Amino acid sequence: MRYGYFDDKQREYVITRPDTPLPWLNYLGCEAYFGLISNTAGGYSFYRDARLRRLTRYRYNNVPLDSGGRYIYLRDNESQEFWSPSWQPTRQPVEDYVCRHGMGYSIIGSTHDKIETRTRYFVPLDEDLEIWQMTVTNHRRKPARLSVFSSIEFCLWDALDDATNFQRNFSTGQVEFEDGVIYHKTEYRERRDHFAYFACSHKLAGYDTQREAFLGAYRGWENPAVVERGRSANSEAHGWAPIGSHHVKLRLKPGETRQIIFVLGYFENPRAQKFEPPDSQTINKREVRAVIAKYLQAENADAAFEALRRHWDNLLGLYQVKTPDLHTNRMVNIWNAYQCMVTFNLSRSASFFESGIGRGLGFRDSNQDLLGFVHMAPSRARERILDLAATQLSSGGAYHQYQPLTKRGNNDVGSNFNDDPLWLIVGVAAYLKETGDFSVLDEPVPYDNQPGSEQPLYEHLQRSLRYTLDRLGPHGLPLIGRADWNDCLNLNCFSDTPGQSFQTTTNKDGRVAESIFIGGLFVLAAGELAAIAQQLGRSDEAVRYLADGAEMERTVRQHGWDGAWFLRAYDDFGRKVGSSECEEGQIYIEPQGICVMAGIGLEDGLARQALEAVNQRLGTAHGIVLLQPAYSKYFLHLGEISTYPAGYKENASIFCHNNPWVIIAETRMGNGDRAHDYYTRINPSAREKISEVHRCEPYVHCQMIAGPDAPTHGEAKNSWLTGTAAWTYAAVTQWILGIRPTFAGLQVAPVIPTKWKGYTAVRIFRGVTYFIEVVRRGPGNSVTLTVDGAAVKGDIVPMPSAGTEAVRVSVELA
Ligand code: GLC
Ligand code: GLC
């Protein structure tokens, strides 16, 4: 069953009924000001940091679902009936409901009693504000007398504080109202130099800034007293809960359409110029007035929207493909690329499943997110790499996350995840291959943000590799620390206290438990660093890293092979995890994927055997599960993984993030059919037809899909913010389609399904447009390459000479 459809031409998903199984989200904003918006206008906004600079309030985990948003009410002043064009929060029956989620914007509307409303929500490029452009049309045969009420609820800036510290917050709220604009300025009188504003393009019949005056005591957003009676209270908030609501009265002739614009934004004043007059407590509005005035003009709002459209044309134009498969095309050309932008910006911080409070930017997550985004915004990727590296510790280890506003690492979600530093090498390698910008390696970057500790980025990479070698266990395999990629495989925690955090509690010093996953990742990273060293002309180092990688590979083969697949780990007692000897959890997906990606066992059949085992033991129609058999009870020595009921999360769900590793591994084995089959199983567009089972948005990947051990097999959770986005994008674009940036040029080595006759693609790489045509002549993957009409050996298109704008590449596959 479907709840809408894809409009690929507009690059939109069009939702046609408001009661989707879960709120189906989109994101507004590309760089600094962001908003989450659901298909019924729920969600909230923030500036840079979802926790520290929250502008509007949201009620998590609430009933009804998805409470708090950018709500507009309409009221018919004759019948006195009122409704929400976005369905929520009044949930009146609506006709012609539609929500078009597009690239950085959403358009939501419906018709009620022949009054049609559409609101376009978006954030202009390079601005710290959002625009709501609402059009109202009277389809009646007689004039309509209407009232429009806007509403948002201001948050008190730090979202955690907002949710917990009412004894203070109920007394600090302050607003100003001037020229129809509502200014939210809580704490501006003291240490803040920023405030929020909410403006309207029309003359107001009234306004409100105090929640209780607007809603009425003991009432909710579904029937605000002000809307019911059709008259604002003109309230001024003193403490309690500041809100913003405008009231506009409209008289519409039959057939008439009017547009009303609302602008909600964030603004910073220079410290010395906070107030005007300077000795007052009144916000200095000299600068902000111009910004507000600009976007309340329809022409300017329209121009900003067009600029946003062009921005996305350009970004998505960097990689466009036409294959025989609709779902591949749609995801590569539109939605997967778009999701990569969102995960790059927000890491795992703010979604319907992430509160925006708990997690900032993860070290490992953000490095992986680069893989899907680096071609779209290389300069932002560069900045991100340097920010991440600056949180690295001098030991080579890393803080597990940092807060985007402060860019300082913290241990709030634990530390000593021993895989973390290696991901920096993977992220930097992707950046270098895409851009060729080796100057980044010379950038002085501090450790732990300590001034004076700066070393070239290259040295950070060296310490990353060293960090693993300094921490080898009894078998010579990497010690796991708190956990590796799998946050929940906690072999040193031994937690027996209810509620204790697996992320911050350690009971063992961890000199025994080892990870084969980190072993595989090390081999991969050592190979990348060796290639980088080679490019720098540091051949001795390149040789050493390759030798380190080879040594680790030998160790993995010797102690990390279980007979038919790669082992997962050794626990604190030196016993095997992920082995046929185990009672449960006999085979895990992660080491199979990463070891084959690293090239281990490609030649001698180990890789083939491991991937067969994955196919036989872990494959389901909804994707590949993380492990089997699922843990049926809590195992003290394994930690959080066994706290989840069987089939959920790390305990044997389809944890989508690692499916693309197996997809890449299959392409390394030359198995395009299987790679694409796995890809399709988790492809959200291909799953659209089972939306009632999948339940999350059909246009973006989710973190997990319940595994076969769960009663809800096939049900997705944690959509949007997941490493699945970047890895799947890398798997399909670079490995199945096979178009890969390398140091020597653009490689085209497709491993596509045998039944595909070929595909065409346009890829802009280092400023040059590559028109690629792949034609299948035989069932295999061997490439015959022609570049601008001339035969070229191998499968890498050499770097074109300076000034070249376009290159024609044709590939025959046989
Ligand atoms: C989540 C985390 C990621 C981790 C994964 C597996 O996606 O954000 O860091 O690797 O879970 O536990
Ligand atoms: C796990 C999640 C993982 C997260 C960890 C800590 O359940 O899957 O993503 O990092 O918990 O919050």
Side-chain angles (χ1 to χ4, degrees), residues 354 359 364-365 400 413 487-488 503 640 644 649-650 655 703 718:
E354 302 277 6
R359 301 211 270 166
R364 98 156 63 92
D365 290 335
H400 200 45
V413 296
D487 278 335
C488 299
Q503 315 302 314
E640 185 168 359
Y644 287 112
K649 296 282 277 182
E650 281 85 343
F655 206 97
Q703 183 202 59
N718 297 17

Side-chain angles (χ1 to χ4, degrees), residues 11-13 15 22-29 34-46 66 70 99-108 120-123 305 308 312 334-335 338-339 341-342 346 350-352 697 699-700 719-721:
R11 295 173 175 152
E12 291 173 340
Y13 190 80
I15 302 166
L22 291 163
W24 284 3
L25 257 54
N26 192 13
Y27 285 83
L28 310 177
F34 297 105
L36 288 69
I37 185 162
S38 72
N39 58 306
T40 58
Y44 58 93
S45 299
F46 56 93
D66 191 22
R70 301 170 182 83
C99 166
R100 293 182 161 265
H101 281 323
M103 306 288 103
Y105 67 89
S106 292
I107 301 169
I108 306 175
R120 180 165 80 187
Y121 299 91
F122 70 101
V123 174
F305 184 73
L308 180 66
W312 277 103
I334 308 172
W335 289 100
Y338 179 62
Q339 189 180 1
M341 186 279 294
V342 174
L346 300 179
S351 74
F352 185 68
E697 297 90 333
Y699 40 90
V700 287
S719 55
W720 279 101
L721 301 184

Side-chain angles (χ1 to χ4, degrees), residues 703-733:
Q703 183 202 59
M704 64 150 274
I705 298 173
D709 300 289
T712 58
H713 184 35
E715 180 189 36
K717 286 199 190 109
N718 297 17
S719 55
W720 279 101
L721 301 184
T722 161
T724 315
W727 273 112
T728 304
Y729 189 79
V732 61
T733 61

Side-chain angles (χ1 to χ4, degrees), residues 31-174:
E31 194 155 356
Y33 183 102
F34 297 105
L36 288 69
I37 185 162
S38 72
N39 58 306
T40 58
Y44 58 93
S45 299
F46 56 93
Y47 171 73
R48 286 195 191 278
D49 192 310
R51 171 171 169 186
L52 298 176
R53 289 280 191 280
R54 185 74 66 96
L55 263 78
T56 60
R57 182 170 286 147
Y58 192 75
R59 291 181 173 69
Y60 310 100
N61 195 6
N62 214 321
V63 280
L65 278 178
D66 191 22
S67 316
R70 301 170 182 83
Y71 296 140
I72 293 175
Y73 301 86
L74 260 73
R75 180 177 191 273
D76 185 324
N77 289 335
E78 273 153 39
S79 69
Q80 309 196 355
E81 217 197 327
F82 65 91
W83 69 96
S84 309
S86 59
W87 189 57
Q88 285 255 60
T90 61
R91 293 185 299 282
Q92 243 94 6
V94 284
E95 295 155 35
D96 302 330
Y97 161 88
V98 71
C99 166
R100 293 182 161 265
H101 281 323
M103 306 288 103
Y105 67 89
S106 292
I107 301 169
I108 306 175
S110 63
T111 300
H112 183 86
D113 200 7
K114 300 211 163 97
I115 302 295
E116 181 190 337
T117 312
R118 291 275 181 277
T119 308
R120 180 165 80 187
Y121 299 91
F122 70 101
V123 174
L125 297 170
D126 305 318
E127 297 286 7
D128 300 326
L129 56 87
E130 63 189 69
I131 297 177
W132 313 0
Q133 270 181 293
M134 181 182 80
T135 55
V136 191
T137 306
N138 177 13
H139 291 295
R140 296 175 184 167
R141 293 228 183 95
K142 50 176 192 154
R145 287 201 299 126
L146 304 171
S147 277
V148 175
F149 294 90
S150 66
S151 69
I152 49 130
E153 192 174 6
F154 290 109
C155 175
L156 297 169
W157 309 106
D158 178 338
L160 180 64
D161 201 53
D162 176 60
T164 49
N165 195 10
F166 333 116
Q167 62 79 26
R168 172 179 163 83
N169 299 338
F170 280 165
S171 292
T172 52
Q174 288 192 304

